[in-house]
Amino acid sequence: MHFDAREMQSRFMRKSCSCMFDSLERMEEDLSQALNSVSLEQKDSKMDSFGLYVVTWNVATAEPPDDVNSLLQLSSPKKPDLFVIGLQEVKAAPLKFVTDLAFEDTWSHLFMNTLAPLGYIKVSSIRMQGLLLLFFSKLEHVPFIRDIQVTYTRTGLYGYWGNKGGVSIRLSFYGHMLCFLNCHLTAHMNYASQRVDEFEYILDAQTFDTKNTPRILDHEVVLWFGDLNFRIEDHGMLFVRNCITSQRFNLLWPKDQLTMMKQKEATLQKFEEGPLDFQPSYKFDLHSDNYDTSGKKRKPAWCDRILWRVKPKSSLTEEANEDGHNEEEPKKQLQEEHKDEFPLKLSQVDYTSKMEYSISDHKPVIGIFHLEMQKMYETPLVQVSAEGEWRADFDALITYSLLQSFPSSAWDWIGLYKVGFKSVSDYITYTWVKDDQVSFSDELFQVYVNKDEIPVLGGECVLCYYSSSLQCIVGISQPFKVQASRVAIEEGLVSENINGLDETVAS
């Protein structure tokens, strides 16, 4: 058989090139799959960051100051997403307390009036005598704050009086369960152990009507703060004040009662706290920065504290074993897988006292946190919008649709709010989604608003769908313009816009 060397070389080259191209194609395919995989992984593991600003302040029955901009650091270019404000010893004289329950207390009004113009609303609050807890959110997050519940526990006078104890707000934030606990524990140097007992009693006593997070420590994140009343032991007044003056705060840490109790109390060890690199927040002469010069000469102390806990993965199994609820293991395993799928991190950015406020014998203490997490959902439960022109001359229409399944109710309602509203109850008017329904299909529902309920002067407004079963707003419309009524224009109460020019029509 005759072989042509050049033909063999040509065949070999063609075969080699073909193999090489096949190999390159496979490599390109593998690389493309790997890049797609990385891209999907990055997309799946996208973490969003939220600012959380916590305030605790024993206000010693004082009336609010004129301004809290410095307290909330509102001059900062980057505003937090959430404000959590815990007060203790809000004035609770019987007549004032009843009035506050009916019309909101002066402290709540101050914070709402300050934060509403910046786009925050008060989502929830709870008051137990002198203890007040407020939760504010930027409006954009409100439809994703769900499952809100509040509760309280009295520890004063053996549990019969609410001058001491704890109040809490728990909620779901983009699917992650958060709990905020504001406490005022028993006072005086010799009661450190009793303070721990009160805290543990509050943790045991407070329960929520939910299967997955019935207790405070079941939540993914717990913020515990308040006038915890722990003192500085052993050191004399002169040594303590010298350490404060020279800013050698670390010399006082070993004798801080909360630090000492954490070394032997398992419950306290579950919580973290930032370094106490600021002046002790108690006890000051009123309207000054001088520590107590009265006859009692109380020793300075870090009474006002902010601690946090992110639930560890292992705690699910540990709690099941400790409580003997092994039948719950499959459910808890699912919860743990769920947690791995949607991670969460909490880190503290700042922890300090605000020395410029002097209306109380306590200085306010603030903690700023970064909450990093992957959202479990990004779609509101309801989409709501204003249909057509709105003015007080005729009835108006609202269209809404359910984007996800949820327990809707005949008690659900849609509120009309001015842009910049302060709280859920700060509506102009509202309409029941069932009673005032005019039409519906499988996907769209329409309800009407009576013309007599529409503001005659008009203004920029939004619509909010409120779920009575979830106790929260689950859908917010885009802002829209309510036009001034013809009567308001004719009587010269507002200007009429003609060809882009405002002209007041005389009556």
Side-chain angles (χ1 to χ4, degrees):
M1 184 179 292
H2 176 70
F3 295 99
D4 188 318
R6 282 178 296 181
E7 185 181 343
M8 286 182 65
Q9 185 178 13
S10 175
R11 286 180 185 176
F12 177 76
M13 290 293 292
R14 284 199 299 272
K15 188 172 182 181
S16 297
C17 288
S18 175
C19 291
M20 184 173 68
F21 287 136
D22 287 346
S23 178
L24 283 170
E25 281 179 8
R26 282 196 300 272
M27 286 173 64
E28 192 175 335
E29 216 171 285
D30 291 344
L31 181 59
S32 176
Q33 287 177 355
L35 288 171
N36 286 337
S37 175
V38 169
S39 175
L40 286 170
E41 191 175 328
Q42 286 175 342
K43 185 178 178 182
D44 290 342
S45 61
K46 178 178 177 286
M47 299 280 279
D48 291 283
S49 182
F50 303 91
L52 173 61
Y53 195 105
V54 181
V55 177
T56 179
W57 192 5
N58 183 324
V59 298
T61 73
E63 286 300 306
D66 295 330
D67 187 280
V68 288
N69 284 281
S70 175
L71 175 65
L72 303 178
Q73 296 186 8
L74 297 181
S75 61
S76 173
K78 185 168 176 57
K79 305 288 190 297
D81 298 272
L82 308 172
F83 281 99
V84 182
I85 300 165
L87 305 180
Q88 306 85 40
E89 291 193 26
V90 174
K91 191 171 185 180
L95 182 59
K96 178 169 174 52
F97 184 61
V98 171
T99 306
D100 287 350
L101 289 177
F103 301 107
E104 297 266 22
D105 62 277
T106 51
W107 283 94
S108 295
H109 272 297
L110 173 64
F111 286 113
M112 287 192 292
N113 291 338
T114 301
L115 291 171
L118 300 175
Y120 296 89
I121 77 161
K122 190 193 78 173
V123 176
S124 184
S125 65
I126 180 170
R127 171 92 182 263
M128 182 185 73
Q129 286 180 227
L131 274 168
L132 176 64
L133 179 58
L134 305 167
F135 177 79
F136 290 85
S137 169
K138 283 183 177 177
L139 188 62
E140 67 198 72
H141 304 307
V142 169
F144 307 100
I145 299 172
R146 305 172 188 170
D147 304 318
I148 302 168
Q149 294 184 44
V150 300
T151 190
Y152 63 90
T153 303
R154 302 184 186 96
T155 59
L157 281 180
Y158 306 101
Y160 291 101
W161 193 241
N163 65 321
K164 296 290 193 293
V167 293
S168 61
I169 298 173
R170 58 87 66 182
L171 51 87
S172 166
F173 184 63
Y174 289 98
H176 293 272
M177 303 310 302
L178 315 180
C179 186
F180 307 100
L181 174 61
N182 174 24
C183 288
H184 191 186
L185 304 181
T186 196
H188 305 305
M189 178 72 73
N190 298 327
Y191 291 102
S193 295
Q194 185 174 332
R195 287 189 270 277
V196 176
D197 292 342
E198 286 179 352
F199 175 54
E200 291 178 338
Y201 172 73
I202 291 167
L203 291 180
D204 289 337
Q206 295 201 358
T207 58
F208 304 99
D209 184 19
T210 176
K211 291 181 181 179
N212 294 333
T213 52
R215 296 183 179 278
I216 289 174
L217 294 184
D218 294 326
H219 293 75
E220 287 179 70
V221 172
V222 178
L223 270 295
W224 170 40
F225 47 90
D227 180 1
L228 308 186
N229 255 321
F230 289 100
R231 309 303 170 98
I232 296 172
E233 288 190 357
D234 297 343
H235 297 308
M237 178 71 80
L238 183 60
F239 180 80
V240 171
R241 292 199 173 190
N242 283 339
C243 288
I244 294 169
T245 303
S246 61
Q247 296 191 350
R248 292 183 295 170
F249 304 122
N250 60 305
L251 299 181
L252 302 175
W253 296 346
K255 293 300 180 179
D256 167 68
Q257 287 182 333
L258 181 52
T259 303
M260 296 167 70
M261 297 302 286
K262 279 188 77 172
Q263 294 174 3
K264 56 183 180 180
E265 295 288 345
T267 303
L268 298 180
Q269 290 167 8
K270 296 177 180 179
F271 287 83
E272 296 181 64
E273 184 180 19
L276 299 167
D277 280 329
F278 56 90
Q279 281 188 235
S281 56
Y282 175 83
K283 172 180 173 58
F284 289 86
D285 292 338
L286 292 181
H287 310 294
S288 84
D289 291 337
N290 299 321
Y291 284 103
D292 187 15
T293 59
S294 71
K296 293 182 178 179
K297 285 191 169 52
R298 293 245 170 85
K299 200 163 41 168
W302 286 289
C303 290
D304 309 282
R305 312 287 276 267
I306 301 171
L307 296 92
W308 73 92
R309 178 182 189 251
V310 176
K311 189 172 185 181
K313 296 177 184 179
S314 59
S315 67
L316 293 170
T317 308
E318 288 170 6
E319 286 168 14
N321 292 336
E322 287 173 8
D323 298 338
H325 297 313
N326 291 325
E327 69 275 7
E328 295 291 315
E329 191 64 37
K331 182 180 79 174
K332 291 182 182 293
Q333 182 64 36
L334 285 173
Q335 287 176 341
E336 190 157 339
E337 290 171 2
H338 195 53
K339 184 175 179 181
D340 289 338
E341 189 180 353
F342 298 98
L344 178 149
K345 299 175 185 176
L346 185 70
S347 57
Q348 191 174 63
V349 178
D350 195 13
Y351 187 32
T352 189
S353 55
K354 304 293 281 185
M355 296 297 294
E356 59 267 39
Y357 291 91
S358 57
I359 59 172
S360 166
D361 55 354
H362 291 251
K363 300 294 185 182
V365 170
I366 62 106
I368 304 175
F369 296 86
H370 273 161
L371 177 61
E372 284 187 275
M373 63 186 199
Q374 187 178 351
K375 297 174 182 176
M376 293 188 189
Y377 44 73
E378 297 188 64
T379 304
L381 296 177
V382 175
Q383 186 175 54
V384 59
S385 60
E387 288 296 316
E389 186 180 6
W390 277 57
R391 66 168 73 233
D393 302 312
F394 41 78
D395 295 346
L397 278 179
I398 299 170
T399 297
Y400 73 91
S401 58
L402 308 184
L403 302 181
Q404 298 180 49
S405 176
F406 74 99
S408 58
S409 158
W411 296 103
D412 291 358
W413 48 271
I414 297 173
L416 176 67
Y417 295 83
K418 287 274 190 184
V419 168
F421 67 100
K422 301 173 185 177
S423 68
V424 174
S425 60
D426 190 25
Y427 49 76
I428 300 168
T429 185
Y430 63 88
T431 181
W432 300 104
V433 297
K434 300 298 183 186
D435 291 354
D436 299 317
Q437 188 170 284
V438 291
S439 67
F440 70 92
S441 65
D442 291 341
E443 295 180 354
L444 290 176
F445 301 83
Q446 280 194 326
V447 294
Y448 79 95
V449 178
N450 190 292
K451 64 181 182 180
D452 296 333
E453 304 293 330
I454 298 173
V456 295
L457 300 181
E460 289 291 322
C461 294
V462 293
L463 296 166
C464 298
Y465 186 111
Y466 185 85
S467 165
S468 60
S469 58
L470 298 178
Q471 294 288 294
C472 61
I473 291 171
V474 295
I476 301 177
S477 75
Q478 291 296 318
F480 64 97
K481 177 79 172 177
V482 175
Q483 302 296 331
S485 71
R486 295 306 310 174
V487 172
I489 294 171
E490 288 165 4
E491 292 187 358
L493 300 175
V494 293
S495 299
E496 183 175 24
N497 188 285
I498 301 174
N499 297 327
L501 299 174
D502 286 337
E503 295 188 10
T504 302
V505 181
S507 56

